[in-house]
Amino acid sequence: LNDNEWCVTAELNVNFLYPAFLGETIFGYGRLIKKGATLAFVEGGVENKEKREIAKASGIWVMKSRTNNLINKKKIKTKALS
């Protein structure tokens, strides 16, 4: 995300494939699949030292601009006062 952006989760799917055990070292990874003007498609997962995939996930995030959000709030306040 850029400094003036924030996001909210629209969809998140997680598949738990194998257990992770107490004391086991695990590694997480993520990858951006596609980023459009308002949506980002991502996938990721968790694996152990032996590269066994413990969990995998995919999701869609809605991206919003902080600047536009502030402008919209000011417009609402202006309308409410007039």
Side-chain angles (χ1 to χ4, degrees):
L1 293 175
N2 296 320
D3 289 340
N4 68 332
E5 292 179 318
W6 61 279
C7 65
V8 61
T9 307
E11 179 179 302
L12 181 61
N13 298 301
V14 182
N15 297 304
F16 298 99
L17 307 171
Y18 293 99
F21 299 100
L22 187 62
E24 181 179 21
T25 301
I26 58 174
F27 304 92
Y29 60 90
R31 181 169 76 120
L32 177 65
I33 303 300
K34 182 176 191 256
K35 180 180 176 187
T38 58
L39 296 176
F41 299 84
V42 299
E43 66 182 22
V46 177
E47 56 188 35
N48 62 14
K49 283 196 271 188
E50 290 77 31
K51 302 284 186 195
R52 182 176 210 178
E53 196 169 36
I54 295 170
K56 62 182 180 177
S58 63
I60 302 171
W61 274 259
V62 179
M63 298 175 301
K64 296 288 188 176
S65 169
R66 293 182 198 276
T67 307
N68 289 343
N69 194 31
L70 292 174
I71 291 170
N72 289 337
K73 284 183 180 178
K74 287 181 182 177
K75 285 182 182 176
I76 291 169
K77 286 181 182 179
T78 304
K79 287 180 182 177
L81 295 174
S82 52

